[in-house]
Amino acid sequence: MDAQALYDYSPVLRLMGLGLVIALGPLAWVWLRRRDASPAQRLAWLTGLTLFLTFDLVLFGAFTRLTDSGLGCPDWPGCYGSASPIGASASIAAAQEAMPTGPVTFSKAWIEMIHRYLATAVGVLILVLASVSWFERRRLQQSLFWPLVTLFWVCLQGAFGALTVTMKLFPAIVTLHLLGGMALLALLRLQAVRYQQLLEPPSAHQRPGAGTRWALWAMFGLLWVQIALGGWVSTNYAVLACRDFPTCQGSWWPVMDFAGGFEWWRELGQRRSGDAIPFPALTAIHYTHRLVAYGVLLALAALAWHLHRREGRADQARTLLLLGGWQLLTGLSNVVLEWPLVAAVAHTGGAAALVVVLTGWLTQAHPRGVETAPPPTAHGYPA
């Protein structure tokens, strides 16, 4: 039996058609619900809906990774050259018969392809957003910079999705793919807030103090470091390197190989030399993520206290504490319950929610152009 080519573009038009069909649902919903609204209002709604679907896509991506379905279809963009597992049933059956516990099964193939369908639909929605922003740029007096960056970024995400498959779950690529999904959430959230600011009077925008803005940026940066470490834990399957808490392997400082654990460019399960990655290296990956998590939780608590006591933003403080508690609970569940699927997906969801929340607050804290923008009229257009 001939080996399947890693890239087979024969089903690409059918996949694009499926993505368009899926995207037509949200587009029709926004059009019907907001057909009498201004372009700015429709863009705000469509951006918010695309953000929601992208959040779902990030969670489904985590589900795909955690169910070992990333290679459910070993080629890209289709499945054995077909647009769905139905057309590839013979090839999938043969692969499953040859290796019953291998990466290719019917359920894994469907999970992988559904992820690709959703990703294509999100790409279509972002293309629509960029196109509408271009057509309405003069009327809305909005820059095209962020819509075009988002369009470029979703294309880049597609490329990383392809590399995830063709490079056989290469840890660095999979981690970058996760970070790219989080960055896509941030880009969409930024635009959603900008459109909302366009529809509100300038007096509605109250900037926090300089100290608070610096604190938000510091928290934002620390969060990205922790997400990268979490992605590295997941893609190297290092979650169960420590199965107890608060110690690891019964020790406060277990045997660890940091050099082996943080070799960035290497195959899954191997060191750069080609040797199998040792268990102390997996321990170093896990424990580093855990130690940084302590710092993140303390930083979240400190920022929540600052927002409540210094800025009078009690709702924002409660949101931070709630998300921090969620991450603590789901993170602990991954360890002591030995990585249950629900807890693992929920942990990714908590990180994604923190990205969305902090991006929104930072955008509101830096309302560039809002103070001098013309106020909207009754129809939502700038006067």
Side-chain angles (χ1 to χ4, degrees), residues 275-295:
D275 299 331
I277 187 169
F279 190 73
L282 298 178
T283 304
I285 294 172
H286 179 112
Y287 210 59
T288 300
H289 178 60
R290 185 186 292 191
L291 292 175
V292 177
Y294 298 147

Side-chain angles (χ1 to χ4, degrees), residues 253-336:
W253 194 259
V255 177
M256 291 180 279
D257 176 9
F258 290 96
F262 291 95
E263 280 185 341
W264 181 246
W265 200 254
R266 55 174 175 76
E267 299 284 343
L268 177 63
Q270 298 180 8
R271 298 195 64 165
R272 194 174 301 166
S273 61
D275 299 331
I277 187 169
F279 190 73
L282 298 178
T283 304
I285 294 172
H286 179 112
Y287 210 59
T288 300
H289 178 60
R290 185 186 292 191
L291 292 175
V292 177
Y294 298 147
V296 170
L297 291 173
L298 288 174
L300 284 172
L303 181 57
W305 180 88
H306 177 85
L307 289 171
H308 181 65
R309 296 296 296 271
R310 299 293 180 87
E311 293 281 345
R313 300 172 186 263
D315 290 341
Q316 292 184 348
R318 281 192 291 269
T319 298
L320 280 184
L321 292 176
L322 178 63
L323 289 175
W326 178 267
Q327 287 303 87
L328 176 62
L329 178 63
T330 55
L332 283 176
S333 298
N334 283 328
V335 174
V336 300

Side-chain angles (χ1 to χ4, degrees), residues 94-171:
Q96 188 170 352
E97 183 179 359
M99 191 180 296
T101 60
V104 179
T105 65
F106 281 101
S107 61
K108 291 178 180 180
W110 272 112
I111 292 171
E112 171 66 4
M113 288 308 297
I114 289 173
H115 178 61
R116 295 183 195 181
Y117 300 152
L118 292 175
T120 305
V122 167
V124 171
L125 291 173
I126 290 173
L127 177 60
V128 171
L129 283 171
S131 301
V132 175
S133 298
W134 186 84
F135 282 113
E136 299 291 345
R137 65 191 186 282
R138 293 180 180 175
R139 192 181 333 192
L140 298 178
Q141 299 182 1
Q142 288 286 93
S143 170
L144 288 174
F145 178 77
W146 290 116
L148 292 179
V149 168
T150 307
L151 180 59
F152 166 78
W153 198 263
V154 77
C155 294
L156 186 64
Q157 269 295 91
F160 272 106
L163 290 173
T164 295
V165 176
T166 59
M167 293 183 69
K168 308 299 181 185
L169 306 182
F170 201 86

Side-chain angles (χ1 to χ4, degrees), residues 208-219:
T212 300
R213 295 197 299 272
W214 278 108
L216 286 171
W217 277 114
M219 186 69 251

